[in-house]
Amino acid sequence: MAREELIRLTGKFDGPNCDDDDCPNLYRTASGSIVVQGDVSTAFQPPKGEALVEIPEAVLREAVRALGW
């Protein structure tokens, strides 16, 4: 799936602006699931095929506002 196919939920509303797309963000897929971009976390080892990422609380709040939840 290409980034262009995703709906960006953060980084363009009231949150911090990241011009180079390397900051934490949340995206929505065409099927309605959420894709998370963030710093890799080593809190524990997830199952094969999964990853842990850390994102700031403000990013989640911005996504919730964007989704109207």
Side-chain angles (χ1 to χ4, degrees):
M1 174 180 318
R3 182 182 288 188
E4 295 79 26
E5 299 175 64
L6 303 172
I7 299 167
R8 188 171 175 172
L9 300 174
T10 57
K12 61 181 179 181
F13 300 98
D14 294 334
N17 187 6
C18 297
D19 295 328
D20 54 5
D21 287 334
D22 68 348
C23 58
N25 281 296
L26 273 73
Y27 301 86
R28 190 170 202 174
T29 67
S31 66
S33 63
I34 304 295
V35 175
V36 178
Q37 174 186 355
D39 294 330
V40 175
S41 173
T42 58
F44 65 89
Q45 184 62 43
K48 185 175 181 176
E50 296 182 7
L52 302 177
V53 298
E54 294 184 24
I55 56 171
E57 180 181 329
V59 173
L60 288 176
R61 289 181 183 275
E62 185 179 353
V64 167
R65 282 194 302 272
L67 291 167
W69 291 351

